[in-house]
Amino acid sequence: MHAKSAKSRAGLGFTLLTIASAAFLQLSNPLPLQTLRNTTFDQLQRFQPRTYQDAPVRIIDIDDESLKRLGQWPWPRTRLAKLLAALKQAEPKAIAFDILFAEADRTSPQAMLNLWPVSQDLRRLLAKLPDHDRIFAEEMAGSRVVIGFSPDDTSSAEPQPPPSKARFVEIGGSPKPYLPPIQGFVAPLPPFEEAAEGIGALTFIPDADGIIRKIPLLLNYRGTLVPSLAAETLRIAQQAKNFTITSGIENGAGISEIRIGKITVPTTAQGEIWIHYTRPEARRLIPAWKILSGNIPAAELQGRILLIGASAQGLMDLRFSPHGDIIPGSEIHAQALEQMLSGNHLLRPSWSNSLELLIFTLSGVAVGLITLNAGALASFGVFMLTLACLWLGAWQTYQSHHLLVDPMVPGAGLGLVFLVASVFRHLYSERRQRWVKEAFSRYISPNRVEHLIEHPEALELGGRRQVCSFVFSDLADFTGLMESMDPGEAVALLNHYLDEMIAIAFLHHGTLDRIVGDAVAIMFSAPLEQKDHQRRALECAIDMQRFAHRYSQDLNAKGIRFGQTRIGVHTGEVIVGNFGGNTIFDYRALGDPVNTASRLEGANKYLGTSICVSEAALAGCPDIPARPIGRLRVKGKTIPLQVFEPLAAAEAGHAALHDYLTAYQLLRDQQASALDAFRKLTANYPDDALAAFHLQRLSANKTGDLIELTGK
């Protein structure tokens, strides 16, 4: 049975592991687990952010101080033209505006004429002044300037895509199905589109929690490829013409890398790059007011990529980062450019899902099998060690190679395997415990097994004093039955008889003390105390006698001479506990009441009764009718014991209780008329064996109710 159970357990364990694996695969992509995975990656970045190295990227920051010094936003385009002119003099690699110029400058003279109540002469004079937007566009022309357009799917779609100022080379197939799609956009003014050397999308695609972890390098506008601001700025800084996109279309892998000029950038399948954030770095930012005031030397800007953006809180260009802080959008563009220029990329490889599934499968099999077969402490230790290895491996991979391998989702799947295996092992242990309990219940009483399970400390040598009730039964003439029939058949009859007798005892929550041949000893109020142990014992004896009488009658009717059962019931104080030695225990009761119950069982043979119960046992159940037998003194006892015969199990033919009690009163009082009274009883009730016993004693000139069985 053990080998079969172990095999079944292993098979079911692998089935459960398969179910857990399927659940892992189904759950590895939904939003809750994706959020959990992203949170894990955020924690890795918080523990060890990217170390800032002085890269050729600077942010010209329109901060709160700049607004305070130069006036509220929006600034006149002439001021932006002045800012652009100051930057151009430093000969940067590229200048990118993280600002959308979709509306005309409201401070231009032409725009103001519509608001000012001026004379016609003054109006003609002001109309000759140059337009601010034209001044700004002229300043852009011929410079390495990149401006942006804003994807907006809620706006009315433009009939034409944004002007493309780059070439796109596709290797391996079209990347368009994998790129983030946009259906509409807000374009900059046409003069700016024409003057700028590059144009890119001012877009971020935050995750469900609003955090910017990745930015796309390219987007798909209705089948047309358009670059992001960071990608276009990097192209212009190199004076390159091409974006080269490599895709693994043949196996559905999506985009693998995008080459911008001479720089190859590994991407996600959707053409995105993971941003490996640094902590806030002051060297990256140059306030715009310092540029306009001439406080920044040209050498500080020469040969750098300059991003013009806003960090002022009122301008609302603020984003959530994985570090838990809020940063301006221009800083995200700058950090993306720093990564692409340095080649220090943060990657989530395309094979990471397969690796995580493999790790989960191998570790899940190991943890599942150990949990199914080892102890709770060992299996929990292996589970925790495996989790620690998962996290340590993920941390080492991130720290040393800047690879994002997720330990959280495999860990969650591993926890599911551990939970399922633990529950299964618990259920198996319960089933095994029930099997052991049932097996031991065939050797000792079920209530004794229950007690040992709940109180294992009871398994120690020694005993305690306790008042208990005892039922002893014996089968008359079984030796003769063995001699008169086949021993196998006789044993089968005996086994059935004992099985029913013990079942009755267990039904009354008795404890099997011992079986000796055809004799059964039952104990009540041990190991668990029973307040009504006397009643339980007597009712048990009555039910056992009823079954035994019926069983004997049925067999006798078939010609099998199956003897009668005699039962003794007594109550008294005994020592109950485990006796024997350290090698083997024998749980039993020791004391005179045990022997007395056995003597009462044997006395039935001479008294003509089937159940003989002591006064001490009968005292606990006064509502059960019984008739007195007499004061019985057995061998080895000096003090007689008042005993009774319960009438609930009396056979037909017994004398009426009133008639018997009247005759017994005469017997007890040693009246001469007692002899005639019992003669009358036996005449009227010839089957009453107890009445016949008293008549025999009286006929032998033995008066009184003291019955001497000292030789028995």
Side-chain angles (χ1 to χ4, degrees):
M1 176 178 177
H2 178 72
K4 184 178 180 181
S5 299
K7 184 176 180 180
S8 173
R9 177 172 57 174
L12 184 54
F14 275 112
T15 301
L16 294 174
L17 182 61
T18 302
I19 295 173
S21 301
F24 170 78
L25 289 174
Q26 292 296 322
L27 294 174
S28 59
N29 289 320
L31 182 60
L33 283 186
Q34 185 61 43
T35 301
L36 189 65
R37 172 180 287 148
N38 287 337
T39 302
T40 303
F41 295 156
D42 293 348
Q43 289 301 323
L44 294 176
Q45 290 216 48
R46 292 181 187 184
F47 290 150
Q48 185 173 324
R50 178 170 62 89
T51 301
Y52 177 77
Q53 297 175 344
D54 192 9
V57 178
R58 291 292 184 268
I59 299 172
I60 309 303
D61 188 20
I62 304 173
D63 58 0
D64 289 316
E65 183 64 22
S66 296
L67 296 181
K68 181 179 178 181
R69 289 172 177 265
L70 302 175
Q72 68 180 11
W73 189 263
W75 288 345
R77 300 281 161 78
T78 52
R79 181 172 295 160
L80 292 176
K82 182 180 178 182
L83 176 64
L84 180 58
L87 296 175
K88 288 167 55 179
Q89 288 180 1
E91 298 181 355
K93 288 288 187 182
I95 302 172
F97 283 90
D98 186 19
I99 301 170
L100 178 63
F101 301 112
E103 298 177 349
D105 187 353
R106 288 176 292 177
T107 65
S108 290
Q110 291 80 0
M112 299 305 295
L113 283 175
N114 297 327
L115 300 175
W116 294 347
V118 296
S119 63
Q120 290 296 327
D121 293 338
L122 184 58
R123 183 179 295 274
R124 284 192 295 272
L125 181 62
L126 292 175
K128 295 178 181 180
L129 294 176
D131 181 71
H132 290 185
D133 288 333
R134 183 169 60 83
I135 294 173
F136 187 38
E138 289 174 353
E139 194 65 48
M140 286 186 191
S143 304
R144 299 180 183 181
V145 175
V146 181
I147 61 173
F149 68 92
S150 177
D152 185 3
D153 292 344
T154 62
S155 67
S156 58
E158 293 287 336
Q160 296 296 327
S164 177
K165 306 204 175 191
R167 292 194 299 260
F168 298 91
V169 180
E170 301 173 0
I171 299 176
S174 174
K176 295 173 185 176
Y178 301 97
L179 294 173
I182 55 174
Q183 299 300 321
F185 66 93
V186 179
L189 294 175
F192 301 148
E193 286 186 352
E194 295 174 4
E197 189 170 341
I199 183 169
L202 302 174
T203 184
F204 298 114
I205 303 177
D207 290 317
D209 52 8
I211 296 176
I212 307 297
R213 298 181 178 90
K214 304 183 290 287
I215 66 168
L217 296 184
L218 300 175
L219 299 99
N220 178 9
Y221 174 73
R222 301 188 176 189
T224 299
L225 298 179
V226 293
S228 68
L229 183 69
E232 183 74 341
T233 301
L234 183 61
R235 181 185 72 82
I236 295 300
Q238 299 178 84
Q239 288 294 284
K241 293 294 185 182
N242 297 336
F243 288 98
T244 305
I245 308 113
T246 303
S247 305
I249 303 301
E250 67 283 350
N251 56 10
I255 300 169
S256 59
E257 63 181 28
I258 297 176
R259 185 176 178 86
I260 306 173
K262 298 179 179 180
I263 297 176
T264 300
V265 182
T267 68
T268 68
Q270 291 74 39
E272 303 164 310
I273 62 170
W274 287 81
I275 306 298
H276 196 180
Y277 286 88
T278 67
R279 289 192 173 93
E281 178 55 53
R283 287 179 291 175
R284 185 183 285 131
L285 302 170
I286 300 175
W289 70 267
K290 290 187 177 182
I291 301 294
L292 291 171
S293 63
N295 292 339
I296 302 298
E300 181 68 21
L301 305 175
Q302 187 176 14
R304 299 183 185 273
I305 297 175
L306 305 180
L307 287 166
I308 303 175
S311 67
Q313 294 186 6
L315 301 187
M316 303 300 290
D317 188 23
L318 300 176
R319 313 287 176 165
F320 292 103
S321 81
H323 291 178
D325 54 3
I326 299 176
I327 61 176
S330 57
E331 185 168 340
I332 298 177
H333 291 302
Q335 298 218 33
L337 285 168
E338 290 171 0
Q339 286 181 218
M340 291 188 286
L341 288 169
S342 66
N344 294 324
H345 301 288
L346 184 63
L347 302 175
R348 168 84 172 150
S350 59
W351 43 261
S352 56
N353 282 330
S354 300
L355 175 64
E356 290 159 9
L357 177 59
L358 178 63
I359 291 172
F360 163 72
T361 302
L362 296 178
S363 59
V365 169
V367 170
L369 289 178
I370 291 173
T371 303
L372 289 172
N373 294 281
L377 185 61
S379 57
F380 181 73
V382 170
F383 169 65
M384 294 303 295
L385 179 62
T386 306
L387 278 184
C389 290
L390 277 177
W391 281 91
L392 183 61
W395 170 253
Q396 190 64 32
T397 302
Y398 166 79
Q399 185 183 46
S400 302
H401 305 286
H402 298 163
L403 299 179
L404 293 174
V405 177
D406 176 30
M408 180 62 76
V409 174
L414 194 62
L416 177 63
V417 171
F418 178 72
L419 177 62
V420 170
S422 297
V423 170
F424 172 73
R425 179 175 174 81
H426 178 71
L427 295 175
Y428 174 80
S429 298
E430 280 192 342
R431 187 179 69 176
R432 184 71 177 173
Q433 189 179 61
R434 286 194 299 269
W435 180 85
V436 172
K437 178 180 173 182
E438 291 172 0
F440 273 91
S441 296
R442 296 176 182 270
Y443 295 90
I444 58 178
S445 301
N447 55 353
R448 173 63 177 155
V449 177
E450 292 279 1
H451 181 70
L452 290 177
I453 292 174
E454 297 177 4
H455 303 280
E457 70 278 1
L459 276 173
E460 55 185 41
L461 287 172
R464 59 188 174 89
R465 292 184 178 274
Q466 189 166 329
V467 176
C468 298
S469 294
F470 300 90
V471 175
F472 272 73
S473 73
D474 194 16
L475 182 61
D477 301 326
F478 183 72
T479 302
L481 179 66
M482 291 286 291
E483 295 175 352
S484 63
M485 66 183 303
D486 180 75
E489 295 180 6
V491 169
L493 294 176
L494 177 63
N495 285 339
H496 180 69
Y497 164 81
L498 292 175
D499 186 50
E500 292 294 330
M501 294 286 280
I502 294 170
I504 293 171
F506 290 167
L507 184 64
H508 290 275
H509 299 282
T511 298
L512 179 62
D513 185 72
R514 75 199 72 170
I515 300 175
V516 181
D518 54 8
V520 177
I522 307 297
M523 176 169 49
F524 290 87
S525 199
L528 298 177
E529 183 178 356
Q530 297 165 326
K531 300 294 185 182
D532 57 344
H533 59 90
Q534 293 153 298
R535 174 177 295 278
R536 290 177 183 271
L538 187 52
E539 290 180 348
C540 175
I542 292 171
D543 287 346
M544 292 171 74
Q545 182 58 46
R546 284 173 178 164
F547 158 73
H549 181 70
R550 185 173 61 253
Y551 187 65
S552 176
Q553 281 187 328
D554 291 343
L555 292 179
N556 289 340
K558 297 177 182 178
I560 301 174
R561 295 185 296 104
F562 199 84
Q564 298 299 315
T565 297
R566 297 187 290 261
I567 300 175
V569 183
H570 183 48
T571 297
E573 185 179 75
V574 292
I575 302 295
V576 180
N578 297 309
F579 304 95
N582 293 325
T583 303
I584 189 170
F585 284 168
D586 184 11
Y587 182 81
R588 62 176 55 229
L590 298 179
D592 182 68
V594 182
N595 299 326
T596 301
S598 177
R599 296 293 179 84
L600 294 182
E601 176 274 315
N604 285 293
K605 178 179 180 180
Y606 304 97
L607 300 174
T609 56
S610 58
I611 299 179
C612 183
V613 55
S614 69
E615 184 177 24
L618 189 63
C621 35
D623 56 325
I624 296 180
R627 60 181 182 176
I629 296 174
R631 293 180 297 124
L632 185 66
R633 183 155 57 200
V634 296
K635 182 179 180 181
K637 301 295 182 182
T638 58
I639 300 176
L641 190 68
Q642 183 70 50
V643 294
F644 297 83
E645 180 188 26
L647 296 180
E651 299 177 2
H654 280 190
L657 181 58
H658 178 270
D659 294 342
Y660 178 85
L661 292 178
T662 300
Y664 181 80
Q665 182 69 32
L666 296 172
L667 171 68
R668 190 183 62 184
D669 295 341
Q670 300 185 12
Q671 298 293 323
S673 58
L675 180 60
D676 291 335
F678 275 99
R679 282 176 177 168
K680 184 178 180 180
L681 276 176
T682 55
N684 293 333
Y685 306 100
D687 294 331
D688 191 339
L690 180 57
F693 170 76
H694 284 306
L695 177 60
Q696 181 183 3
R697 289 182 64 251
L698 290 168
S699 299
N701 296 321
K702 295 180 181 179
T703 60
D705 63 343
L706 179 61
I707 304 171
E708 297 279 357
L709 293 178
T710 55
K712 312 296 190 294

